[in-house]
């Protein structure tokens, strides 16, 4: 295990998304509650398109925070051959060249992988505000695991 995620931001994200979803559902269904369950369901699905889109976004946010919460204790790890991020992405250790800190599209600081696959695109590893621990420790752990696949780790001196 190389890195884990902080619990508090993930819990706060779940709470905010659940409250937002509940508020939007009540706001759509409450005005037609006297007409029965069918009218409430129609209002949820076919009522205000903006509110329906906001409900879908809140549900996606809740699902994402819940998924990250379940993976928080072991978010970045390797098995000796591949580096895994959560349960959805992995890279061969021999193709990892560096770990850099950059800002994503929203301006949040992230750790990103430089992978040797003839592309100029870095791969997202973890958002720094969610990272439990220091970015330098994660960078060192990833580079040590990658260097171990190429023979002698780069930090070792042999006399």
């Amino acid at each position: 295990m190389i890195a884990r995620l902080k619990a508090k931001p993930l819990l706060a994200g779940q709470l905010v998304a659940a409250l937002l979803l509940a508020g939007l559902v009540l706001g759509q269904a409450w005005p037609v509650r006297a007409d029965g369950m069918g009218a409430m369901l129609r209002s949820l699905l076919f009522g205000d398109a903006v509110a329906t889109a906001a409900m879908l976004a809140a549900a996606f946010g809740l699902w994402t925070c819940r998924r990250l919460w379940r993976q928080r204790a072991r978010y970045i790890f390797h098995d000796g051959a591949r580096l895994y991020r959560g349960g959805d992405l992995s890279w061969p250790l021999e193709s990892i060249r560096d770990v850099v800190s950059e800002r994503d599209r929203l301006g949040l600081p992230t750790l990103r992988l430089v992978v040797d696959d003839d592309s100029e695109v870095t791969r997202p590893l973890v958002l720094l505000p969610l990272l439990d621990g220091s970015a330098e420790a994660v960078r060192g752990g990833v580079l040590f695991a990658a260097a171990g696949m190429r023979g002698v780790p780069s930090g070792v001196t042999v006399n």
Side-chain angles (χ1 to χ4, degrees):
M1 197 271 310
I2 296 174
R4 59 186 67 188
L5 300 177
K6 291 180 187 176
K8 287 182 183 178
L10 299 176
L11 282 174
Q14 288 181 59
L15 181 64
V16 167
L19 288 174
L20 183 63
L21 181 61
L24 289 166
V25 166
L26 282 175
Q28 282 292 99
W30 193 259
V32 294
R33 70 186 181 281
D35 296 337
M37 186 59 95
M40 291 171 66
L41 188 59
R42 280 189 300 277
S43 176
L44 285 175
L45 295 177
F46 307 113
D48 185 12
V50 174
T52 303
M55 283 187 273
L56 289 174
F60 179 74
L62 180 63
W63 175 77
T64 300
C65 288
R66 177 74 178 144
R67 181 178 52 86
L68 290 174
W69 169 259
R70 292 178 63 207
Q71 298 172 349
R72 74 187 183 284
R74 194 176 159 164
Y75 190 64
I76 300 172
F77 60 96
H78 72 91
D79 62 0
R82 297 186 72 80
L83 179 74
Y84 296 94
R85 186 196 81 180
D88 55 349
L89 291 175
S90 68
W91 302 272
L93 284 173
E94 63 268 2
S95 69
I96 296 173
R97 297 296 170 234
D98 198 7
V99 179
V100 296
S101 179
E102 294 179 355
R103 295 206 176 263
D104 66 355
R105 287 180 264 125
L106 299 175
L108 295 171
T110 62
L111 280 180
R112 299 181 69 86
L113 286 175
V114 177
V115 180
D116 187 24
D117 64 354
D118 296 331
S119 72
E120 299 296 323
V121 179
T122 58
R123 306 302 190 271
L125 190 59
V126 64
L127 289 170
L128 290 183
L130 295 179
L131 183 63
D132 189 19
S134 71
E136 293 80 22
V138 174
R139 182 180 187 275
V142 170
L143 292 178
F144 183 78
M149 288 308 297
R150 289 188 284 274
V152 177
S154 61
V156 175
T157 304
V158 179
N159 291 332

